[in-house]
Amino acid sequence: MTKTRVLILTKKAVAQKIRRMAYEIYENNFEEKELIMAGILKNGHELAKKLKNELEQISPIDVRLVKLTINKDAPLEDDIGLDCEMKDLKNKSVILVDDVLSTGRTMAFSLKAFLNAEINKMETAVLVDRSHKLFPLEAKFKGYELSTTLNEHVEVKLMGAEQGVFLV
């Protein structure tokens, strides 16, 4: 049996959502001189890159992109890593970015990477919020909210010829 893919957001719609999210981030952080955009590999990092580019076009804020690596299937088995030093995060505002927020599990475990950093504040951004929270986490900045069943899967394509958000 072949799974059916339904296009939820086109490439153009995704770009519009990202631009709106960038404006919301700027409005909420207009007093900041620098923001840390920490993207969860793989798609969260791609989304963070796109948000960084938009923010740099619309604001004077210096945005630093940071890569966060986590084993999404077994977050307690491997270290959660950042490609920067903890001292680089001191007194900075951080936006933790992922493509889809479903149960909140990945984002909750990702917070561990910042527990020893003396950050100023932490906010979260996702392109798609599925609202199946098992952890008490909310995305501060959301591109799109989509009610789905637990059996459905949201696929985000931010690179290549077939960009968009699909329900599988």
Side-chain angles (χ1 to χ4, degrees):
M1 184 167 83
T2 306
K3 287 188 175 182
T4 305
R5 290 175 76 212
V6 178
L7 180 65
I8 302 296
L9 295 173
T10 64
K11 178 180 178 179
K12 182 180 178 183
V14 168
Q16 290 170 334
K17 302 287 184 200
I18 291 170
R19 186 149 183 89
R20 181 184 48 76
M21 289 171 66
Y23 273 104
E24 289 174 5
I25 291 168
Y26 179 37
E27 288 171 3
N28 208 54
N29 292 282
F30 69 93
E31 294 177 334
E32 300 291 335
K33 289 182 177 32
E34 182 180 8
L35 274 178
I36 305 295
M37 192 74 57
I40 300 171
L41 277 181
K42 183 167 187 178
N43 271 347
H45 188 256
E46 289 302 322
L47 177 58
K49 277 187 207 175
K50 292 179 181 296
L51 284 167
K52 175 187 186 298
N53 291 339
E54 289 293 334
L55 273 165
E56 289 175 339
Q57 289 179 28
I58 63 171
S59 79
I61 299 173
D62 181 31
V63 183
R64 178 168 178 194
L65 187 62
V66 172
K67 213 179 281 184
L68 187 142
T69 54
I70 183 171
N71 180 342
K72 291 183 177 190
D73 296 322
L76 294 175
E77 290 181 17
D78 297 321
D79 287 337
I80 297 165
L82 293 172
D83 69 345
C84 70
E85 301 291 325
M86 285 295 126
K87 65 180 169 63
D88 296 338
L89 301 174
K90 187 171 183 170
N91 299 320
K92 299 289 190 305
S93 292
V94 177
I95 312 280
L96 181 60
V97 182
D98 205 1
D99 60 340
V100 178
L101 178 62
S102 191
T103 63
R105 176 185 163 99
T106 299
M107 205 161 271
F109 280 101
S110 296
L111 293 173
K112 181 179 177 187
F114 301 96
L115 293 178
N116 293 324
E118 298 176 42
I119 62 173
N120 190 29
K121 74 176 174 180
M122 168 75 70
E123 295 175 316
T124 53
V126 297
L127 183 58
V128 179
D129 184 352
R130 290 184 59 198
S131 305
H132 292 295
K133 307 295 185 302
L134 297 177
F135 291 80
L137 285 172
E138 290 290 325
K140 175 88 175 177
F141 309 105
K142 304 175 197 179
Y144 190 72
E145 196 155 354
L146 179 66
S147 295
T148 61
T149 68
L150 289 172
N151 296 332
E152 292 172 311
H153 178 73
V154 173
E155 184 179 286
V156 176
K157 297 275 190 182
L158 296 172
M159 306 271 300
E162 188 185 34
Q163 293 185 36
V165 175
F166 302 87
L167 186 62
V168 182

